[in-house]
Amino acid sequence: MTIEEQTQIVQEIESRLSVTDNLEFVIRNSIEKAEALRQSILKKAFEVNFLSQAEIEQCKQAEIMSLPANYSKNTSREVGNPSTGAGCQEEETNR
C-alpha cells in the first residue's frame, strides 16, 4: 500500500470520526432537552393547588346551601372554589 493510499484512508477515517463526534454532541444535547421536558411535564402533572381550611369550609357551606330539597347522592354536582370562582366536578356514589 502506498503512502498516498494510507494518507487517503487516514483522511477518510478522520472525516468519519468528525461526523461521529458531531452526532454524539447532537444526541447528548437532545437527551438533555428531553429530560428537561420530561421533568417539566411531571412537575405540571403533579402540581396541586391546595385550598386553605377556610376556603374548603366556604365551599362546603356554599354547596350545602345550593342543594335542592330533593338532592340524591347519586348525582354529579359542581363545587366552586371561592378564591378563583372556578368550579370542579365531583362525583358522589353510595358506598
Side-chain angles (χ1 to χ4, degrees), residues 28-46:
R28 285 183 191 269
N29 194 22
S30 295
I31 289 172
E32 288 173 9
K33 286 180 181 179
E35 182 60 27
L37 179 61
R38 178 180 169 272
Q39 291 298 322
S40 174
I41 290 169
L42 286 173
K43 181 181 176 189
K44 285 235 180 225
F46 291 102

Side-chain angles (χ1 to χ4, degrees), residues 1 10-11 14 28 32 37 40 45 53 61 65 67 70-71 84 91-92:
M1 191 177 282
V10 168
Q11 287 175 346
E14 286 177 349
R28 285 183 191 269
E32 288 173 9
L37 179 61
S40 174
Q53 190 62 36
Q61 288 302 318
M65 299 301 281
L67 291 177
N70 60 354
Y71 174 74
T84 63
E91 190 71 29
E92 200 172 287

Side-chain angles (χ1 to χ4, degrees), residues 78-93:
E78 188 170 318
V79 178
N81 179 341
S83 64
T84 63
C88 59
Q89 288 294 321
E90 180 176 274
E91 190 71 29
E92 200 172 287
T93 58

Side-chain angles (χ1 to χ4, degrees), residues 44-75:
K44 285 235 180 225
F46 291 102
E47 275 183 351
V48 178
N49 296 323
F50 291 101
L51 297 176
S52 70
Q53 190 62 36
E55 290 171 323
I56 292 170
E57 290 303 318
Q58 271 185 318
C59 281
K60 287 179 182 178
Q61 288 302 318
E63 180 182 342
I64 290 170
M65 299 301 281
S66 68
L67 291 177
N70 60 354
Y71 174 74
S72 168
K73 287 198 178 244
N74 289 326
T75 44

